[in-house]
Amino acid sequence: MVQAGYVAGDINFHRGAERSLEPVRQLPASPRWLVGRETALREFDAAARRAAENGEVALLVVEGGPGTGKTAFALNWAHRNADAFPDGQLFADLGGGGPLGAPVLPVLLGFLAALGVVPSAAAKGDVASVAALYRGAIAGRRMVVVLDNATGTAQVEPLLPGAATCAVLVTSRSRLSGLRMLGAVVHRLAPLGRSDSLTLLARYLGDAVEADPASVEVFLDCCAGLPLALAIVAARAAENPEFDLSVLADELGDVRRRLDALETGESGGGLRAVLSWSYEALDAQTARAFRAVGAVPAEEVTAHALGWTLRASPGDATKLLRALEVRNLLWQRTPGRYTAHALLKLFGCELSAWAGEAEEAARGCVDHYARTAHRADLLLYPHRASTDVLTPVDEPEPVPLPDEEAALRWFAEEHSQLLTAYETALERHWDEHAFQLSRALDTYHHRRSRLRENLATASGGALAADRLGHLKGRVLAHRQLGRALTRVELLGEALVELEATAVLADRLGDPLEAAHTHHDLARVRARLDDQAGALRDAGRARVLYAMAGHLAGEGHALNAMARCHAELGELVEARRCCEAALRAHRRADNKSGRLVALDNLGFIEQRTGRGDAAVRAYQDALELCAEGEHHFYEAAILEHLGLALAERGDAEGARAALRRAVLLYEEQHRLADADRARSTAPPGTPVD
């Protein structure tokens, strides 16, 4: 019976379309090797079993960036599980590697044809009608449907069977949140680890891997775990088996030629072509962001760094970064910190250079880090001598740094990016930025006892200042270098550097800069056991600080004088200077100065036989160390506390303090200090 309300035109009856019962075999060949994906394969096996047990369609999704081997993974899984789907496999490339993706209707019609169903002419132009026919045709069949290179959920949904006897395996370069909402089991393919990369190369290259391990190491470094890149390297090596692998390794090892080395010579067969499919699918703003991420000298990118580079707000930059993450062109190692695969970053940098944007993007990133580091450094050490090397500008929206704790956290999070920015500035002769970054890193490096890095950045800062020819900048930079040399016990070099700096400071005619230099000279002379010379420099520094009205500096000079007097046995004068230093630092609100003065006070109390007072002074100093994360001072004060506790007969307390001091010294690579702390431990107080 046919029931209708109002019908216009003829009514056409069609016989039910007969379905072919022959198994459908549309899968391309399985890849010869799949390495490092065993866990993901097992996850999908388990998900398919659960779906079958629960009477559901198994919806499995493989996501990942270009070249990670998504199609190879999907085909491997489908072939391995062919026996579980005896009615066969359907396969379609949805064109997600290209800018638009494939229309859904031709795919549906192709699937219907494979299933032996010919839709009526009326239905052929209607996606919904053809999709309904497709679901009816596949109902009751046990099949696996592989949808490769999907662009998005809307493209996939009409191709999903309703039959609980089926499994659907989708691959995509994008993150398909809609399929997650439908309950899909999703696995994101990351680049291979080094061990798996080596295994894959060995499958391709055989004995050549063991014959030339040096070249293989280059291949592993340059391909960075990208399966497609490893396969191209292997293919190129096989083209000329009579050539040493070192020929290709030299080509790959040159970063300027690396992408050229990853071309196969066939149209669309190289790495650039595969990467470009993802890039060409981006809108103009997101494409510009991708190019900028490639050009900036930073392994990780934040919204503030990208925003400064693009002159955009952090909110807008976050949207762009998220858009790139959705396309699997970036990922977040930690929240808010985005990184790209090394070859993708290199491709982005190349595109940026072609667009004439690379220099501006790199300089913008360096400028962001130099200015933010300067603000953060002033929170760590407000008494820092001012510089006017960088022209003041308005940042789009500065990194929020409300206090010292926030500044320390920012330095810790951004430290590797700051070093890269500094190295880039020095290499490219952006000397204003190199100088500023060197200055801004000094306090943080000292507090965290990153002494070798401190010496390296101080040396570069001095070079940048010399190239600038800025007299005050030269005084600041060379004095900083003298301090860095002192901290790593290169005392002879430090003395020469600071004596030359004193001459520059005299030429400058600035009493404050001369005071700072004499103060640093006093420290070096004291370390060289020239206490009388150190006392003269410290006294001169105090006079100059007083002339300049620099209260914190005067406190530092008094600290130095107190220590010199104590070392010379002049304990009454030492105590007077030390107490005056504490008063000055309290008035200046200078915690680092206070903790040094307390350390000196503990030393003086020990010399005068007041052990309890010495312990209290050291403990107060350690509290200030903890507040400001002064790891450099903390190690020395713990050593002093341990010796003071041992003198009081507190062997357990002494052992704990000295053990902690030795551990900190070793973590800071201050091995001579660690050996001294061990050797000076009193008998019966072993620290190891």
Side-chain angles (χ1 to χ4, degrees):
M1 180 179 69
V2 176
Q3 182 176 358
Y6 174 78
V7 178
D10 297 331
I11 298 175
N12 298 308
F13 293 88
H14 293 271
R15 294 178 57 191
E18 296 183 1
R19 301 185 304 179
S20 170
L21 299 180
E22 290 294 318
V24 180
R25 307 292 187 193
Q26 289 192 339
L27 283 185
S30 179
R32 187 175 180 187
W33 299 300
L34 191 74
V35 172
R37 307 305 192 190
E38 292 78 11
T39 299
L41 289 169
R42 287 194 295 270
E43 287 176 2
F44 277 18
D45 288 345
R49 285 195 298 271
R50 285 195 305 272
E53 291 167 1
N54 295 332
E56 300 168 348
V57 175
L59 183 51
L60 313 173
V61 179
V62 188
E63 297 174 353
T68 50
K70 301 176 292 299
T71 302
F73 176 91
L75 292 175
N76 182 281
W77 188 87
H79 279 287
R80 285 172 65 250
N81 288 275
D83 290 347
F85 303 99
D87 293 318
Q89 314 97 15
L90 295 172
F91 177 88
D93 183 348
L94 300 184
L100 299 176
V104 175
L105 186 58
V107 176
L108 281 168
L109 292 172
F111 281 178
L112 284 176
L115 294 169
V117 175
V118 180
S120 69
K124 281 186 178 180
D126 180 1
V127 170
S129 298
V130 177
L133 282 175
Y134 161 67
R135 288 192 294 273
I138 203 172
R141 299 199 191 209
R142 296 168 63 190
M143 300 187 73
V144 60
V145 181
V146 178
L147 304 175
D148 197 26
N149 287 321
T151 58
T153 301
Q155 188 189 33
V156 170
E157 281 184 310
L159 301 169
L160 297 179
T165 52
C166 293
V168 181
L169 186 51
V170 182
T171 77
S172 180
R173 296 188 178 199
S174 299
R175 301 195 177 184
L176 304 181
S177 299
L179 295 186
R180 284 180 169 85
M181 294 168 64
L182 293 176
V185 175
V186 181
H187 186 88
R188 181 182 180 277
L189 288 188
L192 298 174
R194 199 170 185 87
S195 176
D196 287 330
S197 296
L198 179 60
T199 299
L200 184 58
L201 269 182
R203 300 274 177 87
Y204 280 119
L205 298 177
D207 295 340
V209 166
E210 295 183 2
D212 191 351
S215 293
V216 169
E217 288 297 309
V218 174
F219 298 160
L220 296 176
D221 290 338
C222 295
C223 294
L226 198 67
L228 176 60
L230 292 164
I232 292 172
V233 166
R236 286 210 52 204
E239 288 174 5
N240 297 293
E242 69 278 7
F243 289 3
D244 290 340
L245 293 181
S246 61
V247 175
L248 180 55
D250 290 343
E251 190 178 346
L252 270 173
D254 183 348
V255 69
R256 296 166 301 181
R257 296 192 294 158
R258 188 164 301 157
L259 291 178
D260 291 333
L262 292 170
E263 292 293 325
T264 63
E266 293 185 281
S267 177
L271 183 65
R272 272 196 190 92
V274 174
L275 301 183
S276 69
W277 297 336
S278 289
Y279 172 72
E280 289 165 3
L282 304 175
D283 62 53
Q285 281 188 310
T286 310
R288 183 177 173 228
F290 175 75
R291 296 193 300 271
V293 169
V296 298
E299 184 181 352
E300 295 180 334
V301 179
T302 64
H304 279 92
L306 183 64
W308 177 260
T309 301
L310 297 178
R311 294 297 186 264
S313 71
D316 288 341
T318 297
K319 292 176 184 177
L320 293 170
L321 289 166
R322 176 60 181 153
L324 291 170
E325 183 184 32
V326 167
R327 294 289 296 178
N328 279 307
L329 296 172
L330 295 179
W331 73 90
Q332 295 183 69
R333 287 181 176 172
T334 55
R337 306 190 67 81
Y338 294 81
T339 190
H341 186 275
L343 290 171
L344 265 172
K345 184 169 174 61
L346 185 58
F347 179 60
C349 186
E350 182 178 84
L351 292 172
S352 183
W354 289 345
E357 302 164 345
E359 179 87 358
E360 181 182 358
R363 187 183 281 273
C365 178
V366 169
D367 195 51
H368 160 75
Y369 279 114
R371 294 179 190 279
T372 310
H374 175 65
R375 290 196 294 113
D377 180 51
L378 288 178
L379 288 168
L380 301 189
Y381 188 51
H383 311 286
R384 163 78 70 193
S386 64
T387 59
D388 55 359
V389 173
L390 293 179
T391 304
V393 296
D394 292 328
E395 296 186 53
E397 189 176 321
V399 176
L401 296 172
D403 51 31
E404 182 181 9
E405 182 180 353
L408 277 171
R409 185 167 57 251
W410 182 83
F411 269 118
E413 291 172 348
E414 298 286 3
H415 186 250
S416 64
Q417 273 64 247
L418 285 163
L419 289 180
T420 302
Y422 152 79
E423 290 162 1
T424 300
L426 192 65
E427 178 184 344
R428 300 192 184 187
H429 286 226
W430 299 342
D431 292 322
E432 299 90 345
H433 293 92
F435 169 78
Q436 188 66 69
L437 283 162
S438 169
R439 295 262 313 149
L441 283 162
D442 186 50
T443 305
Y444 176 74
H445 279 163
H446 184 209
R447 283 202 188 185
R448 291 296 177 88
S449 203
R450 304 185 80 129
L451 303 185
R452 291 293 170 183
E453 290 160 322
N454 184 223
L455 179 58
T457 53
S459 298
L463 173 60
D466 288 342
R467 291 195 303 220
L468 285 169
H470 188 288
L471 183 55
K472 183 176 179 179
R474 292 184 66 201
V475 171
L476 296 172
H478 284 280
R479 190 174 67 243
Q480 178 181 326
L481 177 55
R483 287 197 308 271
L485 289 164
T486 303
R487 290 165 185 161
V488 295
E489 299 295 322
L490 296 174
L491 301 178
E493 294 179 38
L495 183 61
V496 171
E497 186 70 30
L498 289 168
E499 286 177 337
T501 305
V503 174
L504 290 174
D506 288 341
R507 282 175 51 197
L508 183 65
D510 184 336
L512 186 56
E513 297 309 322
H516 289 323
T517 307
H518 281 288
H519 174 64
D520 289 336
L521 272 168
R523 183 187 297 111
V524 176
R525 295 194 201 281
R527 298 288 288 273
L528 289 167
D529 206 25
D530 178 9
Q531 301 301 332
L535 190 55
R536 285 194 302 273
D537 272 311
R540 177 64 177 154
R542 182 192 178 186
V543 171
L544 290 166
Y545 279 129
M547 287 173 56
H550 195 286
L551 189 58
E554 196 172 351
H556 284 309
L558 284 164
N559 269 338
M561 293 170 66
R563 190 70 181 205
C564 292
H565 282 302
E567 294 287 356
L568 292 168
E570 300 164 354
L571 299 179
V572 173
E573 185 63 18
R575 181 187 295 277
R576 187 187 70 78
C577 289
C578 194
E579 291 173 346
L582 275 171
R583 288 194 298 271
H585 286 307
R586 287 194 185 99
R587 287 170 58 200
D589 192 25
N590 184 12
K591 289 182 181 180
S592 61
R594 283 170 58 199
L595 71 87
V596 174
L598 286 166
D599 183 39
N600 282 339
L601 183 60
F603 178 75
I604 294 165
E605 300 288 20
Q606 277 184 273
R607 286 290 184 96
T608 56
R610 300 176 57 186
D612 290 346
V615 168
R616 284 196 299 274
Y618 291 136
Q619 289 172 336
D620 288 345
L622 285 172
E623 287 183 13
L624 290 174
C625 283
E627 288 179 17
E629 298 188 33
H630 290 277
H631 299 328
F632 181 86
Y633 288 130
E634 183 183 3
I637 295 169
L638 279 166
E639 181 185 354
H640 302 159
L641 174 62
L643 297 176
L645 289 170
E647 287 179 6
R648 292 175 59 200
D650 183 354
E652 184 175 347
R655 186 181 305 112
L658 289 169
R659 184 180 293 121
R660 176 65 178 155
V662 168
L663 180 62
L664 283 174
Y665 281 139
E666 290 178 338
E667 287 177 354
Q668 298 166 15
H669 306 289
R670 297 160 67 183
L671 303 183
D673 290 332
D675 290 341
R676 184 194 62 248
R678 288 192 190 91
S679 65
T680 56
T685 315
V687 297
D688 288 327

